[in-house]
Amino acid sequence: MPVPAPSRRRLRMCGGHSCAPWQRLKLTCCATSRCCFLRTGRKPCMRDSFRLRLLCSWQLKNILNEYHQIVQQRMKHSPDLVSFMMELKMILEVALKNRQDLCVQPPSRSFCIDLLNEIGAVGWDKLVCVDTSFSTVKLKAHDASGRKHVITVKLKAKYPVEPPDCVVDFPVPFSVSWTPQSSLVNVHSQFMAALESLKTFWDVMDEIDEKTWVLEPEKPPRSATARRIVLVIKPLGIKLSGNIHLWDPENSLLQNLKDVLEIDFPARTVLEESDFSMDCGICYARHLNGAIPDQVCDNPQCGQPFHQICLYEWLRGLSTSRQSFNVLFGECPYCSKPITLKMLVRKH
């Protein structure tokens, strides 16, 4: 029996398009009522998936525009057509979810005018930026020491009836006192008051950042309350206990540490990184899973630092090492002098 010509097998499908049943496929996504079509030169199979072309309405084309490379990749690597359709469905759901913000009604003219008036009352020189939907406003301020600070004000749908969410880089929680009559002026004034209360703290931290070598954090934010600094002193405990009476509340934190420890802190401005080693003497790296070398050889002529986990593994591998409770005793990998490691006890 002769095979019927393709023209005799054409069917009317999906909006008047005609093609062979296996040449045009319809995919209806639960996230949308529009249709996608796949076209190929012959019946699709796994080995021919890279030849598929995606034909869709202009609405879906617009939605998938930012996901073009992902769709092409899945068309090439999907094991079969059904798998690709399922992946395309998930891509469409993600794309539609990410576009929901575009469907939000723009703010009213009166809202925009009121908000602009509030910004003007604060001062246009205090404005950092406003997003296109007038829902996020960033304002800046300088404290008494000249440090610049930024507050991000996120306005809610019922603003000013509902208080805005405020995001700041503070070491303590920050919340605003709010009434339906409040405005950005109140937010900025409370922001300034909070800056003044934190001035002394930031002065101390800035002095440490400027006059010592800070290891962690490398770029401390204003919310950071701790510093890990380079300290060269032996033995630390004796100095602290013997000179603690020298601590003067009238002096700065850094000056008190200098007096009690009887040292000058090494700073980046006077020392080069090559002047002392900060890398682990075993793995030769500074950072290991977020940790820096915090174990140091007790030999003053050595002073080589190690990661705790590296030194632990090293000492465990030595036949001459011994353990007493949670303390390991062994030899330094560099100078072979005695070295101890106190292991942290894990709480279950």
Side-chain angles (χ1 to χ4, degrees):
M1 176 180 292
V3 178
S7 60
R8 296 180 184 177
R9 299 176 59 206
R10 293 183 180 274
L11 299 177
R12 304 287 295 181
M13 298 180 63
C14 301
H17 296 285
S18 59
C19 63
W22 45 263
Q23 283 183 315
R24 188 174 296 276
L25 300 173
K26 175 181 178 181
L27 171 63
T28 303
C29 179
C30 65
T32 178
S33 60
R34 303 184 181 96
C35 300
C36 289
F37 301 95
L38 295 173
R39 169 172 286 178
T40 182
R42 56 193 180 86
K43 189 173 181 179
C45 60
M46 291 174 58
R47 67 176 180 274
D48 294 325
S49 60
F50 65 91
R51 294 185 179 181
L52 295 176
R53 285 196 305 125
L54 181 64
L55 303 178
C56 58
S57 64
W58 66 267
Q59 295 97 330
L60 280 180
K61 184 176 181 180
N62 184 40
I63 293 174
L64 292 172
N65 183 52
E66 298 180 1
Y67 300 84
H68 174 74
Q69 293 183 351
I70 299 178
V71 173
Q72 292 294 326
Q73 183 185 38
R74 300 323 306 154
M75 288 176 66
K76 182 176 180 181
H77 296 287
S78 294
D80 51 53
L81 193 58
V82 175
S83 299
F84 170 72
M85 289 181 173
M86 295 300 297
E87 291 175 342
L88 180 61
K89 173 179 176 291
M90 291 187 291
I91 294 173
L92 281 171
E93 290 174 342
V94 172
L96 289 171
K97 182 179 180 181
N98 292 338
R99 287 170 61 93
Q100 286 179 354
D101 59 330
L102 300 179
C103 301
V104 178
Q105 292 294 329
S108 64
R109 181 174 180 272
S110 60
F111 177 87
C112 295
I113 293 176
D114 292 341
L115 185 60
L116 292 175
N117 288 335
E118 290 185 21
I119 296 175
V122 173
W124 288 101
D125 59 321
K126 308 295 191 305
L127 178 66
V128 176
C129 67
V130 182
D131 68 349
T132 55
S133 63
F134 278 65
S135 61
T136 302
V137 180
K138 290 187 177 182
L139 303 172
K140 64 181 178 180
H142 292 81
D143 59 26
S145 297
R147 291 176 288 256
K148 178 183 175 181
H149 305 268
V150 175
I151 179 172
T152 301
V153 184
K154 298 182 178 181
L155 308 179
K156 299 179 181 179
K158 295 182 179 180
Y159 177 87
V161 176
E162 289 184 328
D165 292 329
C166 298
V167 181
V168 295
D169 190 13
F170 283 1
V172 294
F174 174 77
S175 59
V176 295
S177 300
W178 190 263
T179 66
Q181 291 73 39
S182 300
S183 66
L184 293 180
V185 175
N186 303 97
V187 174
H188 194 264
S189 62
Q190 294 179 53
F191 180 52
M192 290 291 297
L195 293 180
E196 183 61 28
S197 66
L198 292 168
K199 175 184 177 299
T200 302
F201 167 77
W202 282 322
D203 286 343
V204 171
M205 304 309 286
D206 282 354
E207 184 183 20
I208 294 176
D209 292 338
E210 179 183 354
K211 298 181 179 180
T212 69
W213 193 311
V214 178
L215 297 178
E216 290 182 332
E218 291 186 355
K219 296 181 180 180
R222 291 297 175 192
S223 57
T225 59
R227 300 291 192 272
R228 195 168 194 169
I229 63 176
V230 173
L231 189 64
V232 183
I233 179 173
K234 296 291 183 178
L236 179 61
I238 296 177
K239 291 288 186 182
L240 282 174
S241 59
N243 296 333
I244 194 63
H245 65 280
L246 299 176
W247 191 280
D248 186 355
E250 299 297 325
N251 293 336
S252 67
L253 172 64
L254 188 61
Q255 185 59 49
N256 277 318
L257 290 175
K258 289 181 179 180
D259 295 339
V260 172
L261 301 178
E262 298 179 352
I263 63 167
D264 286 325
F265 290 90
R268 290 181 183 268
T269 55
V270 296
L271 287 180
E272 297 292 337
E273 189 169 346
S274 58
D275 291 340
F276 63 95
S277 174
M278 294 187 298
D279 296 336
C280 174
I282 298 175
C283 71
Y284 301 109
R286 181 181 176 189
H287 293 278
L288 180 64
N289 297 329
I292 65 172
D294 57 359
Q295 305 295 317
V296 181
C297 176
D298 294 330
N299 182 9
Q301 284 72 40
C302 179
Q304 176 64 44
F306 307 97
H307 291 116
Q308 185 181 53
I309 184 62
C310 294
L311 186 59
Y312 173 73
E313 295 295 339
W314 171 270
L315 294 177
R316 282 190 58 190
L318 295 179
S319 59
T320 56
S321 297
R322 61 184 181 86
Q323 180 174 346
S324 176
F325 297 100
N326 64 328
V327 180
L328 272 174
F329 300 86
E331 295 179 354
C332 173
Y334 275 65
C335 66
S336 299
K337 296 296 183 180
I339 190 172
T340 60
L341 173 64
K342 185 176 182 180
M343 297 174 293
L344 298 177
V345 179
R346 295 183 178 179
K347 296 182 180 181
H348 298 282

